[in-house]
Amino acid sequence: MTNLTTTPLGTTGMDITRLGFGSWAVSGAGWTFSWGATDDTESITAIRHALDAGVNWIDTAAVYGLGHSEELVGKAIADLPEADRPYIFTKVGLVWDPANRSAAPRRIMKPASVRREIEDSLRRLRVDHIDLYQVHYPDTGESLEYAGGGFGAVSPNATPLQEYWQVMADLKAEGKVRAIGLSNHTPDLLEAAEQIAHVDVIQPPFSAINRSAAAEIAWAHAHGTGVIVYSPLQSGLLTGAFSAERVAGLPAEDWRTAHHDFTTGLTANLRLAEALRPIAARHDATVAEVAIAWVLAWPGITGAIVGARKTAQVDGWIGADSVVLTPDDLAEIATAITASGAGTGPARS
């Protein structure tokens, strides 16, 4: 077992390791935002390997694999003693058509839909409550077109934030969830939600490539809100294992093949990953561990969600918690970010 640092997750009463297991990548093929085919046995082994290494929380979502990821998480933790069970975090609000698995999920947060979703998630996860229940995206009433670089238009049928956040607060009051959070919500939406019920946690994307959520993280820091960020390795680009040739060889069903980070932005992103190698060497760490350590050093960030499909991938990032970047390291990374032209957002906190 690795001696991972724990820290309070906002005011939730939960102390979490600074690294959490993300289960999007183990969700399997056959849906819009798949990473390609996976082996369920191998995926469960990877989850348990992360837990054995000391990770004490798993982040998933109903939409990952259209329910399949939650089912895998449920299987992975089913026979664990209560004292050894990790915290389970999942998300709500992306609804799919069972008759058309290839269609993009729709962003729906109508109260009745939310209540249907939580019962389905509880069943798939095999738990009696969810530790952190998060709204995946603001409700637009339309489809989620992530791979195309946008998040869809707002329909007149969209549920107002005030209405869906109240339902989330009700679920917390009823004991179905321990804490509630908002993923991919802007500071103005976070502020509106805070007027109804405390935003326990936010979950924005954040990495050395995608630094666009700095304002959301600052908002959370000022409001006692926990911050768990996703994609700290920018979907694998900051692991040091990617090249243009590897990207060209990704299977057609892998959502990354259509994303700008792996197309028009690829050269700059790989340039930044390469710049992390000498820093990793100085710390006797992997490029992935340095990339995650950079995220964890950002003020206000509680923890980072890191995915894996194999145990070796877990081993490639589990040491990030022990990497302490110096001011000189951070200055070097900031210079590399600027020089590479990778991503958007401030290069330093």
Side-chain angles (χ1 to χ4, degrees):
M1 178 175 288
T2 305
N3 186 26
L4 297 182
T5 304
T6 59
T7 191
L9 180 59
T11 58
T12 65
M14 292 182 276
D15 289 341
I16 64 168
T17 50
R18 301 208 72 199
L19 302 173
F21 187 94
S23 65
W24 179 12
V26 302
S27 59
W31 66 294
T32 308
F33 303 114
S34 166
W35 295 62
T38 53
D39 180 294
D40 286 354
T41 299
E42 194 170 54
S43 298
I44 289 173
T45 300
I47 294 171
R48 289 178 172 167
H49 186 64
L51 299 181
D52 288 343
V55 171
N56 76 349
W57 55 286
I58 299 172
D59 183 84
T60 185
V63 76
Y64 296 161
L66 311 187
H68 188 61
S69 176
E70 287 188 335
E71 289 173 348
L72 279 180
V73 171
K75 290 178 182 177
I77 67 171
D79 59 355
L80 293 178
E82 192 66 30
D84 296 336
R85 287 201 167 201
Y87 295 122
I88 301 298
F89 305 163
T90 193
K91 309 179 200 74
V92 59
L94 292 183
V95 179
W96 63 92
D97 179 359
N100 186 6
R101 292 176 59 89
S102 63
R106 295 175 62 204
R107 292 162 58 168
I108 298 175
M109 281 295 296
K110 295 186 183 302
S113 182
V114 172
R115 289 190 173 276
R116 281 194 301 271
E117 281 207 63
I118 192 168
E119 295 303 329
D120 287 342
S121 289
L122 289 168
R123 172 179 50 79
R124 288 189 292 255
L125 291 164
R126 308 184 190 189
V127 296
D128 59 9
H129 76 280
I130 290 166
D131 295 299
L132 172 62
Y133 205 40
Q134 303 155 99
V135 181
H136 213 144
Y137 283 95
D139 186 342
T140 61
E142 298 295 337
S143 63
L144 175 74
E145 298 293 351
Y146 180 76
F151 294 121
V154 177
S155 161
N157 297 322
T159 306
L161 177 139
Q162 290 80 359
E163 187 174 340
Y164 67 72
W165 191 239
Q166 183 61 59
V167 175
M168 296 289 285
D170 292 344
L171 292 176
K172 181 179 176 180
E174 294 164 15
K176 288 185 177 292
V177 303
R178 182 171 178 176
I180 51 177
L182 292 168
S183 182
N184 300 301
H185 282 61
T186 55
D188 59 324
L189 294 175
L190 297 176
E191 188 61 37
E194 186 72 9
Q195 305 311 307
I196 299 162
H198 180 51
V199 180
D200 292 320
V201 179
I202 66 167
Q203 184 184 140
F206 200 73
S207 74
I209 292 173
N210 183 356
R211 308 170 303 278
S212 59
E216 288 89 324
I217 295 167
W219 182 94
H221 194 41
H223 287 79
T225 293
V227 180
I228 54 173
V229 299
Y230 70 87
S231 295
L233 296 176
Q234 205 61 26
S235 306
L237 286 171
L238 292 174
T239 60
F242 263 87
S243 64
E245 292 74 23
R246 181 175 174 183
V247 171
L250 290 173
E253 65 267 32
D254 191 320
W255 69 271
R256 293 175 290 183
T257 60
H259 195 272
H260 61 83
D261 280 338
F262 290 80
T263 54
T264 56
L266 181 62
T267 299
N269 294 337
L270 293 180
R271 189 181 300 128
L272 175 56
E274 194 63 26
L276 300 181
R277 288 192 188 281
I279 302 169
R282 290 200 297 270
H283 287 272
D284 193 24
T286 65
V287 170
E289 288 167 342
V290 168
I292 297 167
W294 182 88
V295 167
L296 294 178
W298 196 275
I301 291 180
T302 313
I305 302 163
V306 196
R309 290 190 275 187
K310 301 177 181 179
T311 57
Q313 292 172 333
V314 175
D315 292 338
W317 52 254
I318 197 67
D321 180 62
S322 300
V323 176
V324 180
L325 298 176
T326 67
D328 286 345
D329 292 331
L330 294 172
E332 185 174 338
I333 293 171
T335 299
I337 288 171
T338 303
S340 70
T344 56
R348 292 199 72 166
S349 59

